Amino acid sequence: MSEKIVIVGNGMAGARLASELHARGGDRKVTVLGAEPHRAYNRIMLSTLLAGKIGEPDVELAEVAGQGVDLRFGVTATAIDRAARTVATDDGDRIAYDHLVLATGSRALVPPLPGLDGPELPPRIVPFRTLDDCRRILAVAEGARRVLVLGGGLLGLEAARGLAARGLDVAVVHPVPYLMERQLDPAGAAVLAGTLAGLGVTTHLAVAATAVAADADGVRLDLADGRSLHADLLVLSCGVRPDTTLAAAAGLAVERGVLVDDRMRTSDRRISAIGDCVQHDGTVTGLVAPAWAQARVVAQVLTGEDPLARYRPRPPVTRLKAAGIDLAAMGDPGGTDGDSEGEELTFADPARGTYARLRITDERLTGAILLGDNPAVGTVIQLFDRGQPVPSDRRALLLGRALGVAPAEPAATPALMPDAATVCQCNNVSKGALVACWRSGARTVDAVVAGTRAGTGCGSCRDAVAGIVGWLSDVDSVEVAR
């Protein structure tokens, strides 16, 4: 009898797990329940969709299909019977499982403000989280001139930049004195605010919203300093919260997220959890790279490929790569982790929208902020990700001068990049994997992307992949440097 695996959630984590299981073959039936009524899609690319740079087909993820895989769209899991090992759905079905995987993701936070406390949000007020949210935002934006974005974190700024690219007058309201406070320092955030202003996005900082009013004519956002801002659309980007409702109702151990061990098992060994909904070693991530790494671990364990596989989180790197903005932030550049020793280097050129800050401890990079055009960004990410010693010329990292360290992004000679250099952080794809894929017959960027998954996460490495494929196309395969 084939093993029955049920995956609750058809987002980026659940869809990736289904793909990982299918790729490993074996006698098993995989059922995927997706509450959203459409195919799996790349949530990271929604801001690019807002900007009008791509269409909806471009955000769709490749899905597994065929024998042994049952994809169900628009079906919500309503309850788990752990004793009977079944999952109840809103269409009246009851699905048996041998192993259940929760990939329920997270939900957008709606702040507890007067005007937002009803059962439904007014039509002109939309969270920015799902594809349906994106569709609603675009529908209202069609007849809009002014847009307010509540929240100056990564997603809020991506939404703001995307809508500004459509020619709308966009303002961001953020209660903290500077933008992206989880990733930036005040100086870097000030440079970013200046860059955004040049791109048509104004910012109102260190002021909280106190109330919202909306009608057919527009939206009014009242602020704590007595001002009121008016717009045609209000986009909410106030953070997310792991969706643990199903897990908690089933009696699984839950804190901020569903508690899991290194093999992504919950307090019930027949149930695993991956992605935004989980809490591993006290941490909730909300990033795609960890979710995909977790999916790989679960697939290895469930298929027997590696029953002892363990999830080992890698240091996160945050990328904001919208038109006119290039930002990479990692680690703790400000030394707020209590480490008072080490080197700290900074460089700022607000007129050019450039800011760099590095923190080095024991010859290792422990934090960095790189905003604007810096050719060394790929190298900085590599050094941080691997914990390698930094070069003696610190200025080369700070200012982007030529280094003896091969960068992870395309340079004039990709032949100098070591095979182990990571090109795609989201999918952990190395330059060597790209070369191997090309040598196996992939002769276009799309073919290499399909074969390696490089560029299918945040998309910021697509230029790097294209550069390497272009280089490979210009040299004889026998001469490709190893």
Side-chain angles (χ1 to χ4, degrees), residues 146-362:
R146 293 174 297 174
V147 178
L148 291 173
V149 177
L150 186 57
L154 179 66
L155 290 181
L157 296 186
E158 287 184 345
R161 178 64 190 109
L163 292 168
R166 290 180 173 269
L168 298 169
D169 179 6
V170 182
V172 174
V173 177
H174 195 48
V176 181
Y178 59 99
L179 299 169
M180 290 183 64
E181 69 277 2
R182 293 187 178 182
Q183 294 87 16
L184 300 182
D185 59 12
V191 174
L192 176 59
T195 299
L196 287 168
L199 296 171
V201 179
T202 59
T203 52
H204 302 272
L205 303 174
V207 59
T210 57
V212 179
D215 56 30
D217 296 324
V219 181
R220 187 190 78 239
L221 183 67
D222 297 333
L223 304 181
D225 60 7
R227 290 180 296 154
S228 292
L229 303 178
H230 298 266
D232 304 298
L233 167 67
L234 172 62
V235 177
L236 302 178
S237 184
C238 304
V240 296
R241 177 174 295 162
D243 189 347
T244 61
T245 304
L246 192 64
L252 298 177
V254 172
E255 291 180 1
R256 286 182 301 151
V258 183
L259 297 182
V260 295
D261 61 14
D262 289 350
R263 294 191 179 93
M264 309 313 298
R265 298 174 300 190
T266 68
S267 53
D268 183 331
R269 290 298 180 260
R270 292 274 186 174
I271 303 177
S272 300
I274 59 174
D276 290 6
C277 68
V278 309
Q279 179 177 328
H280 173 266
D281 197 22
T283 300
V284 176
T285 64
L287 301 173
V288 65
W292 285 351
Q294 293 164 4
R296 185 167 55 252
V297 168
V298 171
Q300 291 172 325
V301 171
L302 293 184
T303 62
E305 177 184 272
D306 184 1
L308 300 180
R310 293 178 179 273
Y311 169 62
R312 290 288 183 259
R314 301 173 63 185
V317 177
T318 300
R319 298 295 300 263
L320 171 61
K321 201 173 180 71
I325 305 173
D326 193 354
L327 168 67
M330 63 212 80
D332 182 38
T336 56
D337 56 3
D339 178 16
S340 59
E341 300 190 5
E343 304 172 55
E344 187 175 296
L345 299 89
T346 59
F347 171 79
D349 186 351
R352 295 179 180 271
T354 302
Y355 179 81
R357 183 175 182 178
L358 307 177
R359 185 166 185 81
I360 300 168
T361 306
D362 296 329

